């Protein structure tokens, strides 16, 4: 048994030299993908396909994993499980072909398409007519239709060997990975950005990942998981990087200095500035985002143009015209939806009255007081991890593991509660406690001020939805400040 990988149609229409180059690249990617499984796997490139040979002693688990990986290699349109048998004459061929196809053509219109290589005493037309008659005799409710068949019975003869295709599995299509250059995808762990990155991978673009951390180690842990999944499943043939930027200080500066209606656009512009500089430093020529027109206030055409202005590199948006349900459906197909479903939707700044058509002069004025030294500092503080190491356990210098549980408190308890919401949110909906101590420290100042609080009592963090408070508490625990917990939003009365 072996496998044949049929080339994507987009490869087969290229000129001879380009097609050969793409095929060689695909063969190298397949070797890199399968080599960790079994060094004895062979890969040989042909004109319109690749042949993957499997060791005879391969067990079912190994062949299942080989099939799964082959179906996810960009550039292959179809994966065929093939076996070859000897034959003597046309009757021998029919004896092998009819059992494979008679149930598939039952009640269907079919035709036989034969290919030959070598010297034979029959033509391809002779072979097609003989097999058509044998199939009709074995399956009386089927009928031949040469122009509009429902089933195409394919047969290939190579010298005195008959090639039988036992199964056909859909491939990923697209172009071989790495053939179209590199890009840096901004990834957040929701539905959109993983799908955008996957689409770039499928088009043959070696895609690195850039994460703007707005919620500490817990936030990063979830994004690392979906990134590792994307790499392991769809771009295993290449080593790429996961780059994390500690963006909380930038969020804090925006909340302090930028008018409410401009916060969302300014945040995206700061991300575009940082991403552009990081990509240029790594010699990556383009950025990728999961933006879709009008999905949120910062993604109107007007605001997207303002965001583009902040980047020195082109920003590619493969989801630009898709609706949300289309994106979610594709996330389920590529198995990234399960990560988005359990990851809190997190944004560092949410304007109460976002401006959907910001003007350039308004943005210039909004950014006038911003301290760009903070942006410089977070760019210098970026951490890069190779994707093959993302699956390793995450610990910080204190030995605490991201994702551990933190203490919780409820309304009515005599505790110290820190309201970590921005001042404007506290003014709209003040937090009233029946007992205990209330402190007001916005989340963007908490990591700096928390070590100054006495450690002889517990402090419980409060925010409206409980997402920010949990992330901030876990962040503090990872720093060794274990006397912080969570005050549930549902506990408020």
């Amino acid at each position: 048994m072996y496998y044949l990988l049929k080339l994507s149609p987009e490869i087969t229409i290229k000129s001879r030299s380009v097609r050969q180059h793409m095929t060689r690249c695909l063969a190298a990617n397949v070797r890199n993908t399968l080599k960790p499984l079994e060094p004895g796997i062979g890969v040989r490139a042909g004109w319109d396909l690749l042949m993957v040979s499997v060791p005879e002693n391969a067990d079912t688990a190994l062949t299942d994993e080989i099939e799964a990986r082959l179906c996810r290699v960009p550039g292959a349109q179809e994966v065929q499980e093939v076996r070859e048998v000897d034959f003597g004459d046309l009757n021998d061929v029919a004896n092998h072909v009819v059992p494979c196809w008679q149930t598939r053509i039952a009640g269907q219109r079919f035709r036989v398409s034969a290919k030959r290589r070598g010297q034979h005493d029959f033509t391809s037309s002779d072979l097609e007519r003989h097999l058509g008659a044998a199939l009709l005799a074995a399956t009386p409710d089927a009928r031949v239709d040469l122009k509009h068949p429902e089933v195409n019975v394919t047969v290939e003869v190579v010298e005195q060997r008959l090639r039988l295709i036992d199964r056909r599995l859909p491939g990923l299509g697209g172009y071989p990975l790495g053939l179209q250059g590199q890009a840096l995808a901004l990834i957040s762990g929701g539905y959109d950005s993983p799908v955008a990155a996957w689409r770039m991978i499928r088009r043959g673009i070696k895609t690195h990942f850039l994460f703007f951390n707005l919620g500490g180690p817990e936030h990063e842990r979830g994004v690392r998981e979906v990134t590792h999944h994307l790499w392991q499943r769809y771009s295993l043939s290449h080593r790429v990087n996961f780059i994390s930027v500690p963006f909380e200080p930038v969020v804090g500066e925006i909340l302090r200095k930028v008018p409410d209606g401009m916060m969302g656009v300014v945040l995206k512009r700061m991300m575009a500035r940082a991403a552009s500089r990081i990509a240029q430093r790594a010699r990556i020529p383009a950025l990728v985002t999961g933006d879709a027109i009008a999905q949120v206030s910062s993604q109107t055409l007007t605001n997207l143009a303002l965001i583009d202005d902040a980047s020195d590199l082109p920003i590619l948006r493969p989801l630009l015209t898709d609706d949300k349900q289309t994106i979610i459906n594709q996330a389920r197909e590529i198995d990234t939806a399960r990560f988005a479903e359990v990851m809190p939707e997190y944004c560092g700044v949410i304007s109460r009255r976002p401006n959907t058509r910001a003007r350039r002069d308004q943005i210039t004025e909004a950014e006038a007081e911003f301290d760009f030294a903070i942006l410089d500092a977070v760019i210098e503080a970026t951490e890069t991890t190779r994707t093959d190491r993302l699956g390793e356990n995450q610990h910080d210098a204190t030995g605490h593991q991201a994702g551990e549980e933190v203490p919780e408190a409820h309304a009515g308890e005599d505790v110290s509660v820190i309201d970590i919401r921005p001042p404007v949110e506290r003014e709209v909906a003040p937090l009233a406690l029946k007992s205990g101590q209330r402190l007001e420290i916005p989340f963007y100042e908490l990591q700096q001020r928390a070590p100054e609080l006495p450690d002889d009592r517990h402090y419980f963090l409060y925010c409206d939805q409980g997402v920010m408070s949990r992330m901030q508490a876990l962040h503090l625990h990872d720093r060794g400040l274990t006397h912080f917990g969570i005050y549930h939003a549902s506990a408020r009365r």
Side-chain angles (χ1 to χ4, degrees):
M1 183 192 72
Y2 57 89
Y3 296 95
L4 294 180
L5 272 64
K6 303 295 287 186
L7 303 182
S8 165
E10 295 191 85
I11 298 176
T12 61
I13 62 173
K14 299 294 188 290
S15 66
R16 183 179 184 87
S17 60
V18 172
R19 177 171 174 167
Q20 288 176 332
H21 174 61
M22 289 185 171
T23 304
R24 287 194 297 269
C25 181
L26 177 58
N29 291 350
V30 172
R31 290 188 190 99
N32 291 339
T33 300
L34 299 182
K35 187 176 180 180
L37 294 178
E38 169 59 57
I41 297 174
V43 180
R44 183 161 55 90
W47 172 241
D48 60 352
L49 51 78
L50 264 65
M51 179 180 291
V52 178
S53 57
V54 180
E56 293 183 2
N57 60 350
D59 58 20
T60 303
L62 177 59
T63 55
D64 286 349
E65 182 61 23
I66 290 172
E67 288 179 9
R69 292 193 181 192
L70 291 177
C71 291
R72 298 194 292 258
V73 174
Q77 187 70 14
E78 185 178 72
V79 178
Q80 301 174 350
E81 182 186 332
V82 177
R83 59 189 170 92
E84 290 186 358
V85 295
D86 294 322
F87 71 93
D89 55 21
L90 292 181
N91 288 328
D92 282 346
V93 176
N95 290 336
H96 288 293
V97 170
V98 169
C100 293
W101 284 95
Q102 64 182 107
T103 57
R104 293 186 239 180
I105 67 171
Q108 305 289 312
R109 302 188 309 274
F110 77 96
R111 64 169 290 174
V112 179
S113 299
K115 290 183 180 180
R116 290 185 311 112
R117 278 188 289 169
Q119 298 295 321
H120 305 96
D121 58 1
F122 56 84
T123 66
S124 296
S125 296
D126 292 337
L127 178 58
E128 290 171 351
R129 285 193 293 268
H130 187 87
L131 291 177
L135 286 166
L136 282 175
T139 319
D141 59 345
R143 63 189 179 93
V144 174
D145 187 338
L146 300 181
K147 292 185 177 180
H148 305 289
E150 295 172 294
V151 180
N152 188 28
V153 178
T154 56
V155 178
E156 190 167 353
V157 172
V158 181
E159 301 300 341
Q160 295 304 310
R161 301 277 290 176
L162 171 64
R163 182 176 288 174
L164 296 172
I165 300 173
D166 288 333
R167 285 191 302 149
R168 298 173 182 269
L169 306 170
L172 194 60
Y175 289 110
L177 190 61
L179 207 61
Q180 306 299 321
Q182 302 184 81
L184 183 62
L186 280 62
I187 189 161
S188 65
Y191 288 104
D192 303 340
S193 56
V195 173
W198 175 81
R199 290 192 184 181
M200 302 304 289
I201 291 169
R202 186 181 177 275
R203 299 304 293 176
I205 296 173
K206 182 179 177 180
T207 304
H208 302 268
F209 301 89
L210 178 63
F211 167 58
F212 289 101
N213 191 339
L214 306 178
E218 180 70 6
H219 187 198
E220 181 169 328
R221 182 188 64 81
V223 178
R224 279 175 170 252
E225 287 181 352
V226 67
T227 302
H228 185 259
H229 167 82
L230 269 176
W231 168 76
Q232 191 173 52
R233 195 174 176 92
Y234 299 106
S235 56
L236 192 58
S237 59
H238 288 67
R239 295 288 184 267
V240 295
N241 291 325
F242 174 85
I243 303 169
S244 177
V245 186
F247 225 58
E248 286 177 308
V250 173
V251 172
E253 182 71 357
I254 290 173
L255 289 168
R256 285 188 291 266
K257 303 286 183 65
V258 175
D260 175 76
M262 300 293 167
M263 286 182 177
V265 177
V266 170
L267 175 62
K268 292 294 184 68
R269 281 171 58 87
M270 294 299 169
M271 289 179 174
R273 284 190 178 97
S276 176
R277 288 168 56 180
I278 292 168
Q280 287 177 310
R281 188 166 61 189
R283 298 183 180 180
I284 299 173
L287 306 177
V288 179
T289 74
D291 296 331
I293 292 175
Q295 192 172 120
V296 296
S297 60
S298 64
Q299 293 175 14
T300 62
L301 283 178
T302 301
N303 289 347
L304 288 175
L306 292 171
I307 294 167
D308 284 352
D309 283 347
S311 172
D312 294 327
L313 298 178
I315 301 177
L316 309 179
R317 298 183 172 93
L319 309 185
L320 193 64
T321 60
D322 286 323
D323 58 55
K324 190 67 176 184
Q325 192 57 52
T326 299
I327 297 169
I328 292 174
N329 291 343
Q330 192 155 65
R332 289 178 178 144
E333 291 173 9
I334 65 175
D335 198 28
T336 59
R338 60 189 173 94
F339 297 96
E341 288 163 358
V342 298
M343 186 173 297
E345 188 69 26
Y346 181 87
C347 183
V349 294
I350 301 176
S351 301
R352 287 180 297 163
R353 294 181 297 276
N355 191 331
T356 59
R357 292 180 175 83
R359 300 194 310 270
R360 197 174 306 278
D361 62 305
Q362 291 176 315
I363 291 295
T364 301
E365 183 179 352
E367 293 180 350
E369 298 299 319
F370 188 91
D371 183 1
F372 281 90
I374 295 175
L375 186 66
D376 296 337
V378 301
I379 292 174
E380 291 305 313
T382 59
E383 293 185 357
T384 300
T385 306
R386 266 184 15 193
T387 46
D388 57 319
R389 297 177 178 171
L390 286 178
E392 300 172 1
N393 289 334
Q394 301 173 58
H395 297 268
D396 66 2
T398 66
H400 291 81
Q401 183 173 354
E404 65 180 91
E405 295 302 319
V406 293
E408 301 176 356
H410 299 272
E413 297 182 32
D414 185 11
V415 294
S416 294
V417 178
I418 302 178
D419 191 337
I420 66 171
R421 297 174 296 169
V424 64
E425 292 184 22
R426 294 200 302 263
E427 292 172 5
V428 172
L431 173 63
L433 299 178
K434 291 186 176 181
S435 61
Q437 177 189 25
R438 186 186 69 185
L439 303 175
E440 295 178 349
I441 304 176
F443 74 92
Y444 50 84
E445 296 179 359
L446 182 64
Q447 297 299 319
Q448 179 181 356
R449 294 174 56 181
E452 302 171 359
L453 297 174
D455 59 5
D456 58 353
R457 66 177 300 156
H458 277 84
Y459 299 89
F460 295 89
L461 310 182
Y462 172 78
C463 69
D464 284 330
Q465 301 299 323
V467 176
M468 178 80 75
S469 58
R470 184 171 187 271
M471 289 181 171
Q472 291 291 326
L474 287 165
H475 197 350
L476 292 170
H477 273 229
D478 287 338
R479 296 175 57 190
L481 303 175
T482 57
H483 53 296
F484 289 85
I486 304 167
Y487 192 79
H488 284 293
S490 59
R492 183 180 168 189
R493 294 176 180 172

